Amino acid sequence: MRKIEKASQEKIILGLDPGTNVMGYGLIEAKVNKIKLIQFGVIQLSKYEGHELKLKKIFERVLNLIDEYHPDEVALEAPFYGKNVQSMLKLGRAQGVAMAAALFREIPITEYAPKKVKQSVTGKGNASKEQVAAMLMTLLKFKESPKLLDATDALAVALCHHFQSGNTARKSKSWGAFLKENPERMK
C-alpha cells in the first residue's frame, strides 16, 4: 500500500515511546550507511478525559503518522515495571493500541526494552533521557532538544531498531564503532 516504492536499501522507521499522557514519535530514513531525521514530536493525550478516549486517539494518531510517512517498520519501547502496577497496565494498553494501528496497516513491529534502546544509542543502558537526547542531536544533526523528551526517546527507539536490525554497513553493534567509522557525524 505504498505510494512510492523505495529502493530496497532504504527504509523509513517509525519509533514510538508509548504513554497515556504524552506519546513520543520519531521517524528516520535509514540507508545503507546514512541516517536522516524525518520528523519527531509528541502526541498530547492529557487533554482527553477517560483512558478509553486516550487509547482511541493513540490509534488514530499512529494511523495518521503511518498514512503520512509510510514507514516500512515500526519500533516501540516496551513498558517497564515500575512501582505502580496500574500505571504499567495503562502503559501496556497504550503500547498495544499503537501496535494494533501498525498491524492494521500491515507494518512489521519490533519491541525494545528501555535499557536496550539507551545502550544502543549512548553505549550506556542507564543513560538519562538528557544524555540520550544529546547523543541523538549529534548523530542526527538537529540543533534543539524538544521540551518533552518523549520525542527523543521515540527517535532513540527508531535508531536502536536501525542498529539492531543490521540496516547499516557497519559490522559492530556499538555506537563507538559507528562513530569511528563515521567521524563526520560528530561535527
Side-chain angles (χ1 to χ4, degrees):
M1 194 176 239
R2 304 259 177 255
K3 285 184 180 176
I4 302 169
E5 285 299 317
K6 294 183 232 17
S8 62
Q9 296 175 340
E10 177 183 327
K11 283 188 179 181
I12 294 176
I13 302 168
L14 170 60
L16 296 171
D17 179 25
T20 54
N21 288 321
V22 177
M23 181 171 188
Y25 67 89
L27 288 128
I28 59 171
E29 179 182 73
K31 294 183 181 178
V32 175
N33 53 358
K34 188 172 184 172
I35 304 161
K36 179 180 144 189
L37 173 64
I38 297 174
Q39 178 68 269
F40 68 112
V42 296
I43 300 167
Q44 288 284 356
L45 300 161
S46 56
K47 60 187 170 191
Y48 301 108
E49 288 193 33
H51 190 64
E52 299 81 9
L53 184 55
K54 290 179 181 187
L55 294 176
K56 179 180 185 268
K57 291 299 178 184
I58 290 169
F59 188 84
E60 290 171 352
R61 293 298 309 276
V62 171
L63 273 182
N64 288 344
L65 288 167
I66 290 168
D67 291 344
E68 183 175 350
Y69 294 102
H70 307 286
D72 298 287
E73 298 169 355
V74 172
L76 296 106
E77 187 170 273
F80 62 94
Y81 180 73
K83 294 178 183 176
N84 187 333
V85 175
Q86 285 299 317
S87 293
M88 186 180 171
L89 179 62
K90 286 181 179 180
L91 192 59
R93 287 177 181 160
Q95 182 196 30
V97 169
M99 292 169 96
L103 293 171
F104 186 73
R105 292 289 190 247
E106 299 183 0
I107 300 183
I109 54 172
T110 307
E111 188 176 8
Y112 295 97
K115 281 190 179 247
K116 182 70 169 178
V117 172
K118 292 174 183 180
Q119 172 75 34
S120 182
V121 173
T122 68
K124 295 187 285 185
N126 61 350
S128 69
K129 287 178 172 278
E130 292 79 13
Q131 288 171 317
V132 170
M135 182 57 75
L136 288 169
M137 289 171 69
T138 301
L139 291 173
L140 298 175
K141 299 181 185 195
F142 58 95
K143 303 251 185 278
E144 202 171 309
S145 183
K147 199 169 17 172
L148 297 173
L149 296 178
D150 303 84
T152 48
D153 285 352
L155 205 49
V157 175
L159 193 60
C160 172
H161 180 67
H162 172 65
F163 289 156
Q164 297 303 312
S165 60
N167 291 332
T168 64
R170 65 189 177 84
K171 303 293 182 232
S172 173
K173 295 288 185 192
S174 79
W175 68 274
F178 174 78
L179 292 176
K180 283 180 187 171
E181 292 171 14
N182 299 280
E184 74 280 2
R185 295 285 201 173
M186 292 301 292
K187 293 179 184 174

